[in-house]
Structure formats: structure tokens, C-alpha cells
Amino acid sequence: MNSVGEACTELKREYDQCFNRWFAEKFLKGENAGDPCVQLFKRYQLCVQKAIKEKDIPIEGLEFMGPSKGKAENSS
Amino acid sequence: MKIWTSEHVFDHPWETVTTAAMQKYPNPMNPSVIGVDVLDRHIDPSGKLHSHRLLSTEWGMPSIVKSLIGACRTKTYVQEHSVVDPMKKTMELKSSNISFTNLVSVDERLIYKPHPQEPEKTILTQEAIISVKGISVSSYLEGLMENTISSNANKGREALEWVISKLNAEIEEFTASARGSMRTSMAAAAFVEK
């Protein structure tokens, strides 16, 4: 699956792989010891935000919360 | 304004369906979804996972239309907010269009839960609220859209079944190759011992 920004597709794939594994193997089993994919997400996010601005996609009312903002920081 | 609702039972446990729902795209039943991006993801103080996603869709306009209006403008966008509660075993998904909001708004809500009587199955309840701006043709257009939403909902369920089979096949392949390499190393160990 591609990203909205063509340049972000590889970063997206790396992040998705990490997330899907954590989601099925940890999160759904109640093991919420923290998100191991934070770094990958940050890099992917920077790319996506840039692409959205460039393409003028009308995202309103969606706050771009980085992974460190407003999150329940469990020990990781 | 029209409200369309439906209920469906998947013959799979809630964890399987939820995992598949998070990886729903790409799939052959929804070829128009060409991009999915996570805009935000976080766990709230009660342990629920929130995800905000952007879906890019391309409706296969004839190339002459694309060359006239520009390829970028043939894409439409949908934003999606999902909440997964691993303790209560619920996944709620809300989506709405962010393109053409001056013409139409389509809001969908899906809830996946374990089936109350058969816990190894999952029940999906979904609803869509459609409103078309402008008065005279709106109920006809809304009727048209309702049929599309209903047939898309079927496609959506088929899509999840497809993703679930794919994930199961990947697990089997991985297990088979792990068994294969275990046998090889056991045989090698036995040979060395001799």
C-alpha cells in the first residue's frame, strides 16, 4: 500500500511492519509496555505532513499530534 | 439525509478480525483505495489505542478527464478515526469524507465486538449517514449512494475475510519453514554426534 506522499512509502512500510507486529503480539494481548515503533513513526510522520501540505489536502480539525504529545506514556 | 445500518457476523475471533481490520488495505475488493497513512496514533490514559488515518482513493477516471483537470485532482480523501480497547474487546471506527464536503457528506461508523452468544465469532454493526447538499435531487442521489454503500459494505466484509486468509497463510508458511530448518539442524546435530 502506498503513502499519500510517494517519497514516504518506504518509511510507511517499515513503520507498518513494526506496528502490525506489536499490535497483534503485544497490544491485543494486554501487554502495553510502550510503543517500540516511536522512532519509525516520527520519521514517517515528518514525511507525510510535508506531503499533505504540498498536496493541499484539506485536513482540518485533525491535530498533528506527534507521538510524544498527549499520549499516556507507559514505561517503555 | 439517510441512515443505513447493518449487522454481520464473522466466523473468526475478535482479535483476528481486529488485526485484519488494521491491515485492511490493499485488498482486491477495494481497488480504489490507493493510499493509507497514519496521521496520529496514541494510547489514551485508559489504555485504548487511537489511530487517525487518511485514505486516498482514486476512482479510475478516464485518462482524458485526468489530463484536463490534472491527475492530482482526481483523488478523493477520507479521514478515519479508530479506537481499539483490548480489555473490553471493542474496535470502533468512524470515517468521513474530507473531499467534496460542500456537495456530500458520508459518515460511517463500524463497531467490532465478540459475538455475545458465540465468543469465538465477531459481530460487526455498521451505520452510514449520508447527506447531499441541495434539495431537489438529494433524496434520489442519497438513494443511489445508499445502494453503493450497501454493496461496498459487502465488499468490505469480503475484504476482511481475504486479509484474514492471507495472514493465516503467512503464519502457516512461516511455521512450515521454521519446522524445516529445525529438522535440518537436528539432523546435522545427530550427524555430528555420531
Side-chain angles (χ1 to χ4, degrees):
Chain A
M1 186 87 273
N2 292 333
S3 168
V4 67
E6 294 78 15
C8 313
T9 297
E10 199 43 52
L11 292 170
K12 172 192 139 67
R13 286 205 188 126
E14 278 178 32
Y15 166 69
D16 279 348
Q17 250 185 343
C18 177
F19 171 77
N20 289 333
R21 202 178 307 134
W22 169 81
F23 182 77
E25 293 173 15
K26 303 279 179 189
F27 179 74
L28 286 186
K29 298 187 178 168
E31 293 174 41
N32 184 13
D35 186 353
C37 311
V38 170
Q39 287 310 316
L40 289 171
F41 187 62
K42 276 186 188 156
R43 284 198 336 237
Y44 163 51
Q45 274 302 282
L46 285 173
C47 184
V48 165
Q49 286 176 31
K50 194 159 153 264
I52 285 174
K53 281 205 186 92
E54 278 169 10
K55 293 181 188 236
D56 222 2
I57 297 173
I59 312 245
E60 286 174 56
L62 283 181
E63 298 146 24
F64 272 100
M65 295 163 84
S68 50
K69 255 165 81 182
K71 190 166 114 162
E73 287 287 353
N74 292 315
S75 59
S76 53
Chain B
M1 204 177 97
K2 268 227 158 98
I3 300 178
W4 168 90
T5 60
S6 105
E7 221 175 62
H8 177 79
V9 176
F10 288 95
D11 200 3
H12 305 280
W14 178 82
E15 286 81 359
T16 304
V17 176
T18 304
T19 302
M22 296 303 262
Q23 302 180 48
K24 191 173 169 187
Y25 306 105
N27 71 74
M29 291 81 186
N30 299 111
S32 55
V33 177
I34 54 154
V36 178
D37 281 294
V38 181
L39 301 179
D40 174 55
R41 189 167 262 153
H42 65 274
I43 298 176
D44 71 19
S46 64
K48 292 183 228 165
L49 179 73
H50 292 249
S51 308
H52 268 109
R53 302 204 302 182
L54 174 72
L55 272 56
S56 313
T57 62
E58 172 76 72
W59 292 97
M61 292 229 191
S63 42
I64 186 152
V65 177
K66 274 195 199 171
S67 56
L68 285 173
I69 71 174
C72 287
R73 290 165 67 181
T74 57
K75 292 205 180 74
T76 57
Y77 299 99
V78 171
Q79 64 95 8
E80 186 197 85
H81 174 208
S82 62
V83 185
V84 182
D85 187 337
M87 296 302 138
K88 292 198 179 131
K89 297 201 187 192
T90 58
M91 173 173 178
E92 181 172 346
L93 200 133
K94 285 185 187 163
S95 74
S96 54
N97 62 306
I98 55 175
S99 302
F100 304 117
T101 49
N102 55 325
L103 298 173
V104 65
S105 68
V106 181
D107 297 290
E108 280 198 284
R109 188 170 172 232
L110 285 73
I111 305 180
Y112 297 91
K113 286 182 183 167
H115 193 285
Q117 282 85 43
E118 294 176 87
E120 280 307 294
K121 296 187 182 177
T122 303
I123 187 161
L124 163 65
T125 44
Q126 60 188 121
E127 65 179 31
I129 301 172
I130 315 147
S131 32
V132 176
K133 318 288 191 287
I135 310 160
S136 53
V137 291
S138 61
S139 50
Y140 171 70
L141 285 176
E142 283 170 6
L144 274 185
M145 293 202 58
E146 196 185 321
N147 291 336
T148 307
I149 288 189
S150 175
S151 78
N152 279 348
N154 280 333
K155 277 193 218 153
R157 289 170 211 141
E158 281 171 35
L160 273 201
E161 295 283 356
W162 181 89
V163 175
I164 289 168
S165 308
K166 183 168 155 252
L167 292 177
N168 284 339
E170 283 169 13
I171 293 171
E172 271 181 45
E173 208 183 290
F174 178 75
T175 316
S177 78
R179 249 188 247 128
S181 42
M182 259 175 66
R183 271 195 218 113
T184 310
S185 47
M186 278 168 67
F191 180 75
V192 164
E193 275 180 20
K194 279 192 203 131

